[in-house]
């Protein structure tokens, strides 16, 4: 067996990376996003969702374990909202805690102080008038 001098210098295992922690960018996952939302906004008692995606579904089903939470959801694509309503309808007390509404006026009316928006509708929602300063959160871009 022939051993090179270069092979002896390397230590076993993965080589060290950058020591600068600011360079590490972790993509948010539905698990961490829903836990952060619960930590900061669970005292509101209502979860308002604009647009259905994996992150918003995960948030809804995670927050469902808290019986004091109510849920309002809308989506510009009616089929996405219908599918979510069908999934939520199988849960206990869903007719008392979940409401599906139309998307027009959802942000503008200011009924909900914090609205969780799916990433595909974020740009559209940011362009809407927001006279009541509704806080808009996108869980995929959440830091």
């Amino acid at each position: 067996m022939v051993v090179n001098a270069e092979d002896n210098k390397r230590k076993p295992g993965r080589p060290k990376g950058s020591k600068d922690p600011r360079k590490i960018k972790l993509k948010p996952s539905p698990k961490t996003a829903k836990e952060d939302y619960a930590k900061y906004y669970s005292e509101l008692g209502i979860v308002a969702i604009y647009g259905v995606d994996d992150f918003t579904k995960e948030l809804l089903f995670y927050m469902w374990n808290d019986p004091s939470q109510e849920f309002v959801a809308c989506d510009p694509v009616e089929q996405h909202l219908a599918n979510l309503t069908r999934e939520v309808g199988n849960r206990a007390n869903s007719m008392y805690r979940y409401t599906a509404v139309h998307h027009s006026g959802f942000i503008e009316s200011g009924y909900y102080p914090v609205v969780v928006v799916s990433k595909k509708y974020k740009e559209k929602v940011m362009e809407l008038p927001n006279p009541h300063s509704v806080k808009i959160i996108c869980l995929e871009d959440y830091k």
Side-chain angles (χ1 to χ4, degrees), residues 75-141:
D75 195 304
V77 179
E78 297 295 328
Q79 189 62 37
H80 295 209
L81 187 59
N83 290 339
L84 178 66
T85 303
R86 196 173 302 112
E87 287 181 45
V88 171
N90 294 330
R91 295 182 169 262
N93 298 320
S94 61
M95 64 186 211
Y96 302 111
R97 297 178 60 196
Y98 174 79
T99 307
V101 297
H102 196 269
H103 66 92
S104 71
F106 192 76
I107 303 292
E108 298 91 335
S109 62
Y111 293 134
Y112 315 107
V114 177
V115 176
V116 179
V117 180
S118 67
K119 188 170 185 172
K120 63 183 173 183
Y121 299 122
K122 184 180 178 188
E123 295 299 322
K124 179 182 173 185
V125 169
M126 291 301 203
E127 294 172 0
L128 294 173
N130 191 356
H132 300 284
S133 301
V134 173
K135 186 169 185 175
I136 297 170
I137 298 173
C138 180
L139 294 179
E140 286 185 69
D141 295 337

Side-chain angles (χ1 to χ4, degrees), residues 1-142:
M1 176 179 203
V2 177
V3 178
N4 294 339
E6 188 177 306
D7 289 340
N8 287 339
K9 292 180 185 176
R10 284 186 30 174
K11 294 180 181 177
R14 186 174 171 191
K16 283 188 174 180
S18 171
K19 294 186 181 205
D20 187 5
R22 293 173 294 173
K23 289 187 177 180
I24 298 172
K25 291 273 186 177
L26 297 175
K27 289 186 176 180
S29 70
K31 181 180 179 189
T32 58
K34 69 185 179 189
E35 290 170 352
D36 285 345
Y37 181 89
K39 184 166 76 171
Y40 295 116
Y41 302 109
S42 63
E43 71 275 355
L44 293 175
I46 191 159
V47 178
I49 296 173
Y50 188 104
V52 178
D53 63 359
D54 292 338
F55 281 79
T56 55
K57 272 187 189 178
E58 190 74 28
L59 173 68
L60 189 142
F61 295 138
Y62 177 75
M63 296 294 286
W64 195 269
N65 297 329
D66 182 1
S68 66
Q69 298 293 324
E70 293 183 16
F71 304 91
V72 178
C74 72
D75 195 304
V77 179
E78 297 295 328
Q79 189 62 37
H80 295 209
L81 187 59
N83 290 339
L84 178 66
T85 303
R86 196 173 302 112
E87 287 181 45
V88 171
N90 294 330
R91 295 182 169 262
N93 298 320
S94 61
M95 64 186 211
Y96 302 111
R97 297 178 60 196
Y98 174 79
T99 307
V101 297
H102 196 269
H103 66 92
S104 71
F106 192 76
I107 303 292
E108 298 91 335
S109 62
Y111 293 134
Y112 315 107
V114 177
V115 176
V116 179
V117 180
S118 67
K119 188 170 185 172
K120 63 183 173 183
Y121 299 122
K122 184 180 178 188
E123 295 299 322
K124 179 182 173 185
V125 169
M126 291 301 203
E127 294 172 0
L128 294 173
N130 191 356
H132 300 284
S133 301
V134 173
K135 186 169 185 175
I136 297 170
I137 298 173
C138 180
L139 294 179
E140 286 185 69
D141 295 337
Y142 191 72

